[in-house]
Amino acid sequence: MRYFLIFFSLGLIMLIIGCTPGTKDSDNQQQKSADTVRVSYINQNDSKGKELKKRGAIIAKLSTIAIGEALNKVINEEGAERAIGFCNLQAMKITDSLAKVEGVIIRRIAKKNRNPLNKTNAVESKIFKQYIMEWLANKTLRPKLSIDENDHPVYYKPIITNNKCLQCHGKPGETMPQNIADKIAKLYPNDKAINFEVGHPRGMWAITFPDIIASKN
Ligand code: HEC
């Protein structure tokens, strides 16, 4: 019931959020090569791990629905080209209220990112690489729980590209209409988030639990 209420309040909040362009430069942290980085995982199957995965799954699902609905609404009402300008799709603002209520940090991150603010850090790049290996091996991509540099647990869930995503993340001039490709290239000169196909891992949800200190495996 609580989640039900949160979800509906998201709709309202979406109507009143103020939008600011995302132009902050986050490139001051050096990314180490993925091979030198160690990922610390939490025991995924003890009761604490299971509980965190349950919470992460619900929050990721609500966030997916909220962003998907907002996107659909803007695309249907104004068309995909205008939808890019939907606060440059400052999508995370939509999930901020959920994050506040749950006391978590919600991020939508990608190695091939469009907005550099959404980039994976060194550990996350390694986790994403593991997902890519699993995907190439035709394995089911299951959520993972790791521990960040402050010993907080982080829940990761892959985001898979579907047909709707291609108009903004597909092949320019082919699956992605040229007018949209041009507009996005102007807004995001360092865009890496194109040339995706249906079913490809696009990025990950990352949900950090800042109130919890995790014990390692
Ligand atoms: C109308 C165009 C549009 C559509 C459709 C769209 N996106 Fe995006 N997407 C964007 C823009 C613009 C950004 C950059 C947002 C920002 O500045 O924070 C973005 C960012 C992202 C990010 C965050 C990481 C990054 O690259 O910055 C992910 C993950 C993502 N999109 C996945 C998807 C998926 C999955 C779909 C389909 C379900 C989708 N997008 C559909 C335009 C779109």
Side-chain angles (χ1 to χ4, degrees):
M1 186 59 197
R2 192 157 65 112
Y3 288 113
F4 196 68
L5 282 175
I6 293 167
F7 179 59
F8 278 100
S9 62
L10 278 176
L12 265 182
I13 286 151
M14 268 154 45
L15 292 173
I16 51 169
I17 43 172
C19 307
T20 46
T23 48
K24 262 184 266 158
D25 183 16
S26 69
D27 248 5
N28 45 13
Q29 147 205 13
Q30 193 74 36
Q31 280 224 350
K32 287 186 220 155
S33 130
D35 295 336
T36 62
V37 172
R38 217 182 103 73
V39 183
S40 302
Y41 283 110
I42 295 173
N43 185 342
Q44 315 273 315
N45 292 317
D46 67 6
S47 60
K48 265 195 197 144
K50 281 189 177 153
E51 178 60 32
L52 282 173
K53 281 206 277 192
K54 226 191 208 164
R55 275 189 73 195
I58 294 170
I59 294 168
K61 183 152 205 171
L62 287 175
S63 305
T64 305
I65 296 172
I67 287 185
E69 298 224 320
L71 195 56
N72 275 345
K73 190 166 181 283
V74 188
I75 290 177
N76 291 342
E77 284 171 9
E78 310 197 30
E81 197 180 338
R82 288 289 304 279
I84 303 161
F86 167 61
C87 313
N88 291 2
L89 279 180
Q90 284 277 300
M92 299 325 292
K93 292 229 162 70
I94 295 171
T95 54
D96 276 358
S97 51
L98 177 61
K100 250 184 218 144
V101 176
E102 284 296 312
V104 296
I105 300 160
I106 306 175
R107 290 174 301 140
R108 206 172 54 137
I109 52 175
K111 193 154 165 37
K112 289 188 185 171
N113 49 71
R114 174 153 292 164
N115 185 335
L117 293 176
N118 302 330
K119 76 174 180 197
T120 48
N121 65 28
V123 168
E124 292 164 348
S125 295
K126 187 150 192 181
I127 293 173
F128 190 69
K129 194 173 165 190
Q130 289 169 350
Y131 275 129
I132 294 290
M133 303 307 278
E134 289 167 16
W135 174 66
L136 289 171
N138 262 330
K139 290 193 182 144
T140 309
L141 305 188
R142 298 189 197 286
K144 296 182 197 286
L145 282 175
S146 84
I147 304 174
D148 71 8
E149 66 282 7
N150 302 314
D151 289 341
H152 299 310
V154 190
Y155 168 95
Y156 292 99
K157 182 172 194 229
I159 299 172
I160 307 296
T161 311
N162 69 31
N163 202 33
K164 272 194 228 150
C165 318
L166 297 187
Q167 53 188 327
C168 297
H169 295 293
K171 253 198 176 78
E174 293 180 31
T175 46
M176 182 182 187
Q178 198 57 55
N179 60 325
I180 291 180
D182 293 346
K183 185 161 178 185
I184 286 178
K186 240 187 236 153
L187 279 170
Y188 302 93
N190 298 317
D191 186 20
K192 301 187 194 85
I194 51 168
N195 293 324
F196 282 87
E197 292 173 28
V198 170
H200 286 194
R202 166 71 182 85
M204 304 185 287
W205 285 109
I207 293 154
T208 308
F209 299 91
D211 296 339
I212 300 174
I213 298 292
S215 50
K216 295 178 186 160
N217 242 343

